[in-house]
């Protein structure tokens, strides 16, 4: 049998400690990656769905809506609220401007 291990006990014990140390490092890395993957999956499960329509809100008392956007519009500001299709149509019919980037009036089939 092919035996390339050292013949003395002292070196064998050293090798055993060294391999145990590496095995512990590998196990820790596996645990870390499994925890990250579980956190990612959990985040995907509990993430709220993207709204179909949003209105961008102004600053000040009452925070009035200032513009209507499609739900995934990159140009919508940080102050926003999810709205349904009927609310979006109502806001646009009342004269609220639309986003020039996502053009929600086209998707809502509102003609000028």
């Amino acid at each position: 049998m092919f035996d390339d291990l050292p013949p003395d006990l002292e070196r064998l014990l050293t090798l055993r400690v060294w391999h145990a140390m590496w095995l512990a490092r590998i196990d820790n890395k596996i645990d870390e990656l499994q925890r990250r993957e579980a956190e990612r999956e959990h985040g995907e499960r509990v993430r709220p769905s993207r709204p179909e329509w949003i209105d961008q809100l102004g600053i000040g008392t009452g925070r009035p809506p200032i513009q209507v956007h499609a739900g995934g519009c990159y140009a919508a500001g940080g102050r926003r609220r999810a709205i349904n299709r009927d609310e979006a149509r109502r806001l646009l019919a009342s004269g609220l401007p639309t986003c020039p980037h996502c053009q929600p009036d086209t998707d809502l089939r509102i003609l000028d």
Side-chain angles (χ1 to χ4, degrees):
M1 175 178 201
F2 184 71
D3 189 10
D4 59 347
L5 295 174
D8 58 303
L9 183 60
E10 185 177 341
R11 285 191 286 173
L12 285 172
L13 290 173
T14 302
L15 282 174
R16 187 178 190 297
V17 168
W18 186 82
H19 282 283
M21 179 188 70
W22 272 98
L23 187 57
R25 287 183 68 189
I26 291 168
D27 288 343
N28 288 338
K29 186 68 172 187
I30 288 170
D31 291 342
E32 177 186 340
L33 293 176
Q34 287 174 334
R35 187 178 65 252
R36 283 184 191 172
E37 180 65 19
E39 288 172 356
R40 186 191 61 75
E41 289 173 358
H42 176 72
E44 287 179 4
R45 281 193 313 273
V46 300
R47 178 178 296 126
S49 61
R50 185 176 80 190
E52 191 174 4
W53 309 103
I54 54 177
D55 64 349
Q56 184 176 347
L57 302 173
I59 300 173
T61 306
R63 295 166 50 121
I66 58 173
Q67 200 172 45
V68 176
H69 297 267
C73 181
Y74 66 89
R79 294 176 313 276
R80 60 178 96 181
R81 132 183 107 101
I83 56 176
N84 61 28
R85 182 180 196 85
D86 293 335
E87 177 74 5
R89 291 176 63 86
R90 186 188 67 72
L91 289 170
L92 291 175
S94 71
L96 195 67
T98 64
C99 172
H101 300 281
C102 63
Q103 300 176 338
D105 52 343
T106 304
D107 290 338
L108 289 167
R109 301 193 193 321
I110 295 180
L111 304 173
D112 288 335

